[in-house]
């Protein structure tokens, strides 16, 4: 953890050189490992999880979103979150009147 913190500080300061390659590889491996853990965790959740950017564009969604809305994960990327929220609202309104 200390190596990662030191490298982060040096990256921010623009002070990296070719001697830092072994440490950078360690950080890259740690990040790939953490990404795998995050992906597996999100995939196993029954709750709907959607990650968006600051404009509301979907960056990723877990399998529960795919099952709930019927879109493939690929189709959801880039769609504004309001599209899904509108579908929920429309579905709720239809069910409320029946």
């Amino acid at each position: 953890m200390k190596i990662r913190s030191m490298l982060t500080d040096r990256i921010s300061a623009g002070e990296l050189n070719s001697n830092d390659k072994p440490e950078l590889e360690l950080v890259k491996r740690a990040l790939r490992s953490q990404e795998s853990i995050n992906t597996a965790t999100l995939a196993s959740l029954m709750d709907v999880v959607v990650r968006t950017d600051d404009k509301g564009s979907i960056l990723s969604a877990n399998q529960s979103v795919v099952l709930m809305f019927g879109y493939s994960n690929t189709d959801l990327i880039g769609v504004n979150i309001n599209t899904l929220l509108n579908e929920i609202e429309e579905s709720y309104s239809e069910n409320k009147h029946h």
Side-chain angles (χ1 to χ4, degrees):
M1 195 62 123
K2 187 174 181 178
I3 290 173
R4 199 179 313 174
S5 177
M6 289 170 28
L7 280 174
T8 302
D9 292 344
R10 292 183 61 207
I11 289 169
S12 297
E15 298 174 352
L16 290 180
N17 59 49
S18 60
N19 295 331
D20 296 312
K21 189 170 182 172
E23 290 85 359
L24 286 173
E25 288 304 316
L26 281 173
V27 171
K28 286 179 185 179
R29 270 190 271 150
L31 289 172
R32 281 193 297 268
S33 175
Q34 188 60 52
E35 181 66 23
S36 295
I37 292 167
N38 292 346
T39 300
T41 301
L42 286 175
S44 68
L45 292 175
M46 292 179 65
D47 293 329
V48 168
V49 179
V50 178
R51 188 171 56 100
T52 65
D53 64 13
D54 59 343
K55 294 178 181 155
S57 295
I58 297 173
L59 300 173
S60 64
N62 70 346
Q63 187 63 26
S64 293
V65 177
V66 173
L67 294 171
M68 178 183 268
F69 292 97
Y71 297 110
S72 74
N73 205 329
T74 308
D75 290 339
L76 289 170
I77 306 303
V79 172
N80 192 283
I81 189 68
N82 288 323
T83 302
L84 297 182
L85 297 175
N86 290 338
E87 285 189 28
I88 292 170
E89 188 174 314
E90 289 172 14
S91 177
Y92 176 76
S93 292
E94 287 175 12
N95 289 333
K96 188 176 176 183
H97 296 293
H98 286 114

